[in-house]
Amino acid sequence: MKRKVKIFLLLLLPFAALAQDEKNYEDSLQSALERAANDTIRLELNRKLGFFYQDSNPRKALPYHEAQLALAQKLNLQLWEADALEQIAYCHVSWSQTEFADAYKNYISALKIVENPNSAKNGFGFANFSYSKSPEDARLAIMGMVHFELGSFYNRTRYYKESLEQYYKAVEIGERIQNKKILSLANRDIGRTFLLNNQLDSGIIYLRKSEESYQNSPYQRNLGTLYLMIGNYYLQKQQPDSSKLILQHAIAISQDPASIGLIGYLNQALGVVFSQTGELDSALYYTFAGQKIADSLHNLQAVSIGLTQLGNIYKLKNDYATAYDYLLKGKNLGDSLNNDYINKTMQFLNLVFDQKIRLQELEKEQQESKSRNRMVALLTGLGIFLLVAILLYWNNRQKQKANKVLEKTLSDLKSTQKQLVHSEKMASLGELTAGIAHEIQNPLNFVNNFSEINSELLDELQTAINANDSKEIKSIIHDIKDNENKIAQHGKRADGIVKGMLQHSRASTGQKEPTDINTICDEYLRLAYHGLRAKDKSFNANLQTDFDNSLEKINIVPQEIGRVILNLLTNAFYAVTEKKKSCEQSSISYEPIVSIKTKRVNDKIEIIVSDNGNGIPDDVKEKIFQPFFTTKPTGQGTGLGLSMSYDIITKGHKGTLQLESEIGKGTSFSIILPNKS
């Protein structure tokens, strides 16, 4: 027995050394508080002193946290205020284990503050002081701790369902802000709750989660409490050896004076384990050690447990007189504590009951308010419905009137559209007129010339006949026939030009037919060029053609494709004309070039019309194919040419019309048509 006493004293030596360090720390805090220059410093020092005392002497810690509360309210620092309310509540519970009502009120007050996100704005300095990343994290940390301690409240009154709800809320917040203190404490007490309800497997899962959160965290001094619960788990699982090891390890790591109360409980727990294994002397040793610590801390609840435990051990040793004495003392103290506990618990339960009644009344008021609001909403809805019905009826009458106006407007628009399209066709025909005249003039000149020659030849033939010169007669007749052939050839050429003009001007039937694309391109290039030359005799341009002679005829509507090619060529000639004018004004040498090219691209035919004009700006490119958009001066363009061309190629022939242009260098339009349309 003497050896065990020596061991116990040796275990206390580290606490003596640590106690001296703690005393020095306490004195430095008290001295700093006396010299504090302002309320902000006093606020922090009161909190530190409260924390210093609250585990070992919560009665002594309470005034410091109350001073913290008063200063926080004075400075309007809401996070500090909520923290103070939480610590005051903790001191109430730790001090008497029964001050439930006051503690509960303080916890609820703290929770109301931190549930408002704006409270973080008034958390000056608290984030750094509480090791949080930000004021918002500090707010959530306080909320998490309040939920944890409310869970402990419900646990003490055996409201296990409500207790677990609070613990789970704490875990959710802890995971959200990765707060290991909250996670370790909440998971630990969830595990303890499951053990109290004999759900051992669930209990150990949460206890191990708690142990994981303790690792690499600044809260490892609380590991002893966790190991006390794990030791209880092994004891319930009938594994006393494992229970002994974990409890002894808990004592070994709990080496700071603030943990002296925990060591008392650990010793009492070891006493229970040894009594169950029949090692009664060891059971007495550890129980007496725990009892001594409980007496020194005036922990009457622990004292009552220890007295009852000693009575049971002496009963096992058959020392019935001593057993009776301890059991009687334990019972009397326990009854006293239980009566006080019951009274305080009833106050707490009444408080909770009153709150539930208030919540029910509030809910009832809210339901009544909702009913009233629904009735008002229904009547308002009916009124709005009637108003809407009237408005719809009136609107319908207006629409009927408007529809008649719109129908007439639409009819007028369609008529105008037809006129505009026709105007565009006539405009392109107008561009062709001079070119057509020039093209017809050439074959007509040949017809006239050969007709005059034939007239002279006929006179010569008459002379030859009179002279009976058969050889001359045959020669003249041969020349007349050659000239007649040439007259017929050039007549057909003129006829073809006229037919092409008529084809271009008349409405398209939309009927596709095999067409030589090279012929169309060449014909419209010359017509467009001569048309411009007829207007401006001084204009000259380098016309370049590059036709792929291997191209076969393709199915197109020739009038429509001709109209597109003419439009692109007309625009090209306009572009080079404008550039030539600007170059002449600046005395810059410039040769207008307009080219047209055809080629096969895989299974498609491509027609490229290019010029070396001024080019088209990027902002104009985006709108170039829009109806009525034109860059020409007013009166010189309808803005429909490229729009109509785009529709003819993309919709009528399932092809594409693409634009490439570079400012100062020129523009190319590419028509890509399917080889088989």
Side-chain angles (χ1 to χ4, degrees), residues 401-415:
K401 294 178 182 178
N403 283 341
K404 292 179 181 178
V405 175
L406 287 173
E407 285 173 3
K408 184 177 184 303
T409 304
L410 181 59
S411 177
D412 293 343
L413 282 173
K414 286 181 178 179
S415 175

Side-chain angles (χ1 to χ4, degrees), residues 163-177:
S163 173
L164 287 172
E165 287 175 357
Q166 295 296 324
Y167 289 145
Y168 288 139
K169 288 180 181 178
V171 168
E172 182 183 353
I173 293 172
E175 289 175 344
R176 179 176 170 185
I177 61 174

Side-chain angles (χ1 to χ4, degrees), residues 285 293 296 333 348 351 403 434 488 528 566 626 636 668:
Y285 163 73
I293 292 172
S296 69
L333 181 57
F348 167 65
L351 186 65
N403 283 341
L566 176 63
Q626 293 179 6
Q636 292 190 27
S668 290

